[in-house]
Amino acid sequence: MIDALGRPQSLLLLGGTSEIALATARAWADAKPHVTLAARPGPARDDAAAALTSEGFEVDVVDFEAEDTESHPALIDRVASRRDIDVALVCFGVLGDEEEAWTDHAAAVRLARVNYTGAVSVGVCLASVVRRQGHGTIVALSSVAGERVRRSNFVYGSTKAGMDGFFLGLGEALREHGGRVLVVRPGFVHTKMTAGRPAAPLSVTADQVAEAIVKGVADGSDLVWVPGLMRGVMSGLRHVPRPLFRRLPL
Amino acid sequence: MSERRQFQGWGRTAPVMATAVTGTAGEVGDLLRSAGPRGLIARGLGRSYGDAAQNSGGEVLLPIEGQPRLVGDRVVAAAGTSLHDLIRFLLPHGRFLPVTPGTRYVSVGGAIACDVHGKSHHVTGTFGAHVDSFDLVTPDGTTRTVTAEGEPELFWATVGGMGLTGVVTSATLRTIAVESGWVDVTTDRFEDLHSLMAAMREGDDAWTYSVAWVDTLSRGRSGAGPGRSVLTRGEHAARAALDARRSGTPYPLPGDPRLGAPRGLPSGLVSPLSVRAFNELWFRKAPRHRSGELQTLATFFHPLDGVADWNRLYGPAGFVQYQLVVPDEAGDVVRDAVATLAASGHASFLAVLKRFGPANAGLLSFPMAGWTLALDLPARPGLGRLLDRLDDAVVEAGGRIYLAKDSRLRADRFAAMYPRREEFARVRDRVDPGRVLSSDLARRLDL
Ligand SMILES: Cc1cc2nc3c(=O)[nH]c(=O)nc-3n(C[C@H](O)[C@H](O)[C@H](O)COP(=O)(O)OP(=O)(O)OC[C@H]3O[C@@H](n4cnc5c(N)ncnc54)[C@H](O)[C@@H]3O)c2cc1C
């Protein structure tokens, strides 16, 4: 159960090797939640599980491949049959190379499959768990890139725009079933995924995103920006006319 | 009848959806047998603060109603009867309940399941100590009349058992004779917790009813430590003690709340600032010493019942109540808790200190001899960690947290606080091997 102060007893991390997911689990360490790491088998997953275990978490590991949507319903049902899923983090995604992403057919399709189709797939499975349980929070890791899609990474941005819209809608739908969806829109996050790329203004760390998630879940929010300032910036950018927007160094 | 509905405890935190079901006493067996995979829990008037009377994704059985009957000095009441209605029924007969909690708006079933206590615990023990028998429907669909003599294990697992051993449909309770519906009250004011606790330790045995209100925000002035406080003690007033005005109404009946808190209030109304202001007024209003004041039962026992839905004052984020008990010699835990709160700025609008008498045989019953402190705290960031630390001190001292008020305790700490939970589990294995009876509290505490 999620307690009165918004602290979960169990976490499902879909994309269990994501730094943001792991930082979020750690941010809840005092509640000692049980963690299910759903990720592709391999050393990254082993390391993540071993690290959490050594920090005192009870950890289960399950095989998860975002593109293999056929496998999602059974997988999520299996996890939910062991214990309630109090908070599920949808935190898998690929960034890809921006120019390759729209010039290479396979790369573009893969991005769309993982980031959008995969997210919609687990979203629907989680929603049915939440409806059965009568409670539960789904945290969807979106991005400011989805708020106004830019030329510089529009394939990635468009997948995030799609998943963002889906989860905002899912939140409305689950409300009357006792569930919540929290859409998180971080700006540039310093992680493995962004390593080597020049940091954008207002960049944040995985820990800051984790902190915002913990607070958002406790407050029952639907949408948070990290940093909070990003919200103002993006709502400004959103209305910049296209010809001008094109010329901005974004 | 069944209907999907949102359920919350009195603290209005952690809302969940469940199916509300209703039925007569005779239908409870069938409802239990046909419960879905997430089981069923009985609910009274939802005055437990946390998640004891909610069952997310499952079924929640609403109160079973009926008219109380007096049989000699016993009253037979349906489990859904409120103590409010019961007191209104008993008083004209010159009778009263030996134990009543801080609100009358609790049901007989809820009072048994939480084994509630009142201001008289050091003299009368808990509510459960005055239950002659109750009718209990277990998940196999059978109804049995349970007494402490006949089936002590099941009786003491159900008293304080948080609804997890079966559904109580009715109960036979012992009552006490009262010559009037008035209480003869003595009030004393103390500058700090030390002097308050000394006075309570010395004088409480001389009074049937005793309770203290503590200002958790006062840092102490002019050499005094934290926790200035007001102690009220009382006895049922004898008929002869009533003056001319009161002897005309020897049994004034408690009424319904005259005020209501409006809906949709914002968070933050109950803040350190407003609590400080209220506490200042409250403390100043109390006399340094006054005796012989006559108060109605309603004013003395249930001051909060005057305002309906006062829990809404805490806004949408809600609040938690933290009630601890520690043995007599661990009075330091109480002083530390008050000091820690004062220092942290987490404002408790209500802080109540009481002394308990000895524990009873209830397997999960809360009271044990010593000090009990109850705090109402707005749900705010940082509170979780603070209360976790207090939990540790309580465990260390051999004390525990009250499940009827709890909404955030962790399963491992619960296990450390309630050593008889294994015995409790064995009773459940016997009467509910399939764990049909379930609640969010049970899930959270791994009960
Ligand atoms: C203002 C206020 C002051 C309070 N003061 C005190 C106090 O001084 N002392 C004290 O001890 N408590 C106090 N309480 C707590 C309160 O007494 C308990 O929470 C009480 O159990 C609430 O009764 P209810 O009918 O609302 O039960 P609910 O909150 O609806 O349910 C509580 C528990 O009882 C179980 N239950 C209810 N009906 C049945 C049934 N028919 N069969 C089996 N199980 C059942 C539920 O499953 C649940 O586990 C106070 C609460 C408030 C709001």
Side-chain angles (χ1 to χ4, degrees), chain A residues 1-5 7 9 27-32 84 130-135 175-180 215 219, chain B residues 4 13-17 38 51 56-57 320 379-381 383-385 387-388 407-408 410-412 440 443-445:
Chain A
M1 299 305 304
I2 298 189
D3 78 6
L5 300 170
R7 304 193 292 182
Q9 257 179 318
W28 267 312
D30 56 338
K32 275 210 185 156
D84 280 15
V130 166
R131 269 162 40 211
R132 231 170 23 235
Q133 289 181 171
H135 79 100
R175 212 162 251 283
E176 60 181 289
H177 298 278
R180 294 248 179 220
K215 183 171 182 310
D219 294 348
Chain B
R4 289 279 287 177
T13 53
V16 299
M17 289 302 289
R38 289 178 70 88
D51 46 11
S56 58
V320 302
R380 281 205 301 143
L383 183 61
R385 289 219 172 103
L387 296 182
D388 287 349
S407 55
R408 46 140 304 271
R410 237 170 50 191
D412 54 343
D440 291 346
R443 280 183 196 102
R444 182 166 55 80
L445 298 180

Side-chain angles (χ1 to χ4, degrees), chain B residues 41-42 44-48 102 106-107 110 113-114 116-117 162-163 168 402:
Chain B
I41 196 75
L45 293 170
R47 250 54 173 197
S48 47
V106 306
S107 67
C114 296
V116 305
H117 57 269
M162 307 306 291
V168 174
Y402 190 11

